[in-house]
Amino acid sequence: MNENMALRAALDKNLRSAVTTACLMLPESFSEEDLFIEIAGLSYSGDFRMVIGEEKSKVLNIVKPNVGHFRELYESILQKDPQVVYKMHQGQLEIDKSPEGQFTQLMTLPRTLQQQINHIMDPPGRNRDVEETLLQVAQDPDCGDVVRLAISSIVRPSSIRQSTKGLFTAGMKKSVIYSSRKLNKMWKGWMRKAS
């Protein structure tokens, strides 16, 4: 029972963090679908397989048929978030993009992401604390780009490790076949867009 409660609390925290992270990367006003695409794209941000091997519309293909499920998953979080104005019936959201609003959001991000932002923004030798760096980022008009870069730098090494591990566990022949199928699927996606 306690394990289930701890797991539920961790999952809820993860969902809230996804909303906050996505909101930081979106403009002041956006649609539910924009938010859900940003959230679904978090785990693909920085994944080198999205450059070579994956169909570019993969995230959109995940979100489009599942908007209702995403809404069900995030609705209560959006309604309770003091930083968000959620116009549910219109499917529109607004977020506080003032430096104070962004600083509040940055301070609620997961510690690992905060530290990565600090690592990116703090030049060697300065050794500023994380809060000082986040305060600077909150005032930067490119705050969302900094957050996106930090996420990419967290995801990228993991995606490389996964691919390398897959190469060794599946074997060279299976990996080449799998990769060629992925490249073929990516090529067909490009051709559909071009038509």
Side-chain angles (χ1 to χ4, degrees), residues 160-177:
I160 292 170
R161 274 193 308 274
Q162 266 185 308
S163 294
T164 306
K165 187 177 174 184
L167 183 66
F168 289 111
T169 57
M172 186 58 82
K173 183 179 176 185
K174 285 183 181 178
S175 294
V176 168
I177 291 169

Side-chain angles (χ1 to χ4, degrees), residues 44-169:
Y44 296 105
S45 180
D47 188 336
F48 79 95
R49 294 169 291 190
M50 292 303 287
V51 177
I52 298 174
E54 287 290 354
E55 188 178 343
K56 300 301 174 240
S57 58
K58 180 174 186 160
V59 174
L60 192 61
N61 293 341
I62 292 168
V63 173
K64 281 272 190 196
N66 295 299
V67 168
H69 296 296
F70 275 92
R71 187 179 297 125
E72 187 178 311
L73 194 58
Y74 291 101
E75 184 177 32
S76 67
I77 292 169
L78 293 169
Q79 288 174 336
K80 292 176 188 172
D81 191 332
Q83 300 292 106
V84 175
V85 175
Y86 183 29
K87 301 171 184 174
M88 192 170 40
H89 299 297
Q90 298 168 12
Q92 290 294 120
L93 299 103
E94 292 174 8
I95 188 85
D96 181 2
K97 285 291 182 179
S98 69
E100 297 80 14
Q102 290 192 139
F103 180 66
T104 300
Q105 293 163 46
L106 288 165
M107 289 300 291
T108 63
L109 291 176
R111 187 89 178 124
T112 304
L113 184 51
Q114 289 178 343
Q115 289 170 336
Q116 191 62 34
I117 291 169
N118 189 50
H119 177 72
I120 290 168
M121 297 301 293
D122 191 26
R126 287 279 314 270
N127 295 327
R128 290 187 300 180
D129 69 1
V130 173
E131 190 172 331
E132 185 181 345
T133 301
L134 295 180
L135 186 58
Q136 174 197 346
V137 172
Q139 296 172 39
D140 189 332
D142 297 323
C143 174
D145 293 336
V146 174
V147 172
R148 190 178 309 280
L149 182 61
I151 290 169
S152 293
S153 63
I154 291 170
V155 172
R156 187 174 301 109
S158 174
S159 72
I160 292 170
R161 274 193 308 274
Q162 266 185 308
S163 294
T164 306
K165 187 177 174 184
L167 183 66
F168 289 111
T169 57

Side-chain angles (χ1 to χ4, degrees), residues 48-57 179-193:
F48 79 95
R49 294 169 291 190
M50 292 303 287
V51 177
I52 298 174
E54 287 290 354
E55 188 178 343
K56 300 301 174 240
S57 58
S179 297
S180 64
R181 287 182 181 153
K182 284 294 207 177
L183 288 170
N184 187 31
K185 191 174 179 181
M186 182 180 82
W187 178 256
K188 286 179 181 177
W190 280 346
M191 297 308 288
R192 274 194 307 271
K193 269 189 181 172

